[in-house]
Amino acid sequence: MGRYLKVVLQVLIVVCMVDGMIDGTLSVYAKAQSILRNLLYAAGGDVALPSPRQHFTGGVGMIVSPQNRPHMTVGPEGRRGPPPSSETPINRRILLLGASQAFGLRIGDDQTLAAIMQQDKPGWEILNYAAPGETLPVHWLHADHLTADGVSFDSVLVVNGLIDITKLCFPPPTQLGPHNAFRRLYDMIAEKLSPPSLSPTACATEAVAHRVARQVYDDMLRLLAVADARHVPMTIAFPPVLYDHPASLRSHAGAPQFEALAASHMPAIRALRRMIAEGDERRIVDMSRALDSVDRAYIDVYSHFSNEGSRVVARHLEAVLP
């Protein structure tokens, strides 16, 4: 009996050692990836940076946590990037709200919509409080939270709408239990051998797509109604997306993930574009075609802007702001 127990203990020791070695290897691999990504970005490469850390705030939801990482600076209350130079007098303060496209996910501080607009427009201060994952109905809650903390602004720019469609039309990723090193290794191997199934959802049907678009458009109108009640000028821009971008259609044709995302999003996106075009609310701007002439406008399959894409969108926003 003692001999068998000894063998079992030896096996457990070997398993723990291997588990620790895999954990260490994965950690070193992730760190090396991060270092290489930052070096390439610093050298001018169009490289996707890591996602920011976020935390839950009651009454608002998930906002970006203060952090100081290579090419990503986030101050108190989740403001992205440094303020403009104190040498330039500020004559306009615009609160920028939105999700990951407005925040500048995957690109550096100096390439975000807010940073480019500030560079182009001396005297403008763009307060980038966008938060990845934030939907339209949350924006005024977020604005009230900022106001209570002493953040002042004279107008609001919302760049959003795509994440609202995503959350209504595309299934969330499967939530797995706690991972140990072996589980992560198995998942990595399984992902290589069999990519996750990404099938179109019910939003691919015309009737559901129309209902989703109506919900998003009505949320935009409600935002504007609150802005009117508070006498705050607001502009809402529906951003361009990867899924009907001419160059991306050529480069991603046949890719399963791209095809699934396009099939689940585009019916609702087209319906929303029609509502914006047919509506009489000129403060809602459809920017869908802003990036058609840019070859590499996006940095990933989720429609996050590349450095060049961000610059072009920023200049379109400058043109539509009153």
Side-chain angles (χ1 to χ4, degrees):
M1 182 68 179
R3 185 173 59 185
Y4 291 122
L5 181 59
K6 183 178 179 181
V7 170
V8 170
L9 288 174
Q10 288 175 336
V11 170
L12 287 175
I13 290 171
V14 170
V15 168
C16 289
M17 289 175 64
V18 173
D19 184 84
M21 290 170 64
I22 295 173
D23 261 336
T25 301
L26 290 173
S27 177
V28 171
Y29 175 69
K31 187 65 176 178
Q33 272 192 320
S34 177
I35 292 171
L36 179 60
R37 186 188 293 120
N38 288 322
L39 287 173
L40 289 171
Y41 195 93
D46 208 5
V47 181
L49 297 174
S51 297
R53 295 185 297 273
Q54 293 180 261
H55 66 275
F56 178 80
T57 297
V60 180
M62 299 299 291
I63 64 174
V64 183
S65 304
Q67 52 205 280
N68 190 355
R69 301 158 69 178
H71 314 294
M72 185 188 297
T73 305
V74 181
E77 301 302 327
R79 178 177 176 175
R80 173 81 189 271
S85 169
S86 58
E87 299 175 358
T88 305
I90 301 301
N91 54 44
R92 188 172 189 186
R93 304 186 85 230
I94 302 171
L95 174 63
L96 173 62
L97 296 174
S100 51
Q101 288 176 307
F103 174 81
L105 191 68
R106 308 298 190 202
I107 56 179
D109 288 338
D110 60 341
Q111 297 297 329
T112 63
L113 301 176
I116 293 164
M117 293 170 73
Q118 282 184 170
Q119 293 162 15
D120 289 350
K121 298 289 186 179
W124 285 20
E125 183 174 12
I126 312 297
L127 309 170
N128 185 358
Y129 283 97
E134 187 167 294
T135 54
L136 292 163
V138 179
H139 288 333
W140 267 116
L141 294 173
H142 197 168
D144 285 343
H145 173 76
L146 294 171
T147 301
D149 282 332
V151 176
S152 61
F153 48 88
D154 48 54
S155 61
V156 179
L157 170 62
V158 172
V159 180
N160 211 357
L162 177 59
I163 189 65
D164 299 76
I165 291 174
T166 298
K167 290 190 174 185
L168 291 168
C169 288
F170 203 73
T174 303
Q175 297 296 316
L176 301 175
H179 275 37
N180 58 23
F182 281 113
R183 178 60 179 273
R184 288 198 299 275
L185 181 62
Y186 298 151
D187 288 345
M188 290 168 65
I189 294 171
E191 186 177 350
K192 293 293 184 184
L193 295 177
S194 177
S197 174
L198 296 172
S199 58
T201 68
C203 285
T205 65
E206 184 176 347
V208 177
H210 180 83
R211 289 201 298 271
V212 167
R214 172 53 60 187
Q215 175 66 47
V216 176
Y217 188 69
D218 286 349
D219 284 340
M220 291 177 173
L221 293 176
R222 278 187 281 269
L223 267 180
L224 291 170
V226 175
D228 289 342
R230 300 184 186 190
H231 308 291
V232 178
M234 173 181 279
T235 301
I236 301 176
F238 181 64
V241 299
L242 174 81
Y243 314 120
D244 67 344
H245 176 247
S248 299
L249 287 172
R250 294 190 297 270
S251 62
H252 289 80
Q257 190 177 32
F258 174 81
E259 297 289 350
L261 287 165
S264 61
H265 284 72
M266 285 310 301
I269 288 172
R270 291 190 189 100
L272 178 58
R273 288 172 179 169
R274 287 193 298 271
M275 290 177 189
I276 294 173
E278 294 167 3
D280 58 1
E281 183 49 80
R282 298 307 172 204
R283 292 174 294 177
I284 301 177
V285 181
D286 178 16
M287 301 187 65
S288 298
R289 306 270 59 95
L291 293 176
D292 281 1
S293 62
V294 181
D295 282 341
R296 193 168 190 276
Y298 302 94
I299 205 165
D300 61 20
V301 77
Y302 300 106
S303 293
H304 295 121
F305 305 133
S306 66
N307 291 345
E308 186 179 0
S310 184
R311 285 193 293 272
V312 173
V313 171
R315 278 148 196 167
H316 276 78
L317 290 170
E318 293 167 11
V320 301
L321 283 172

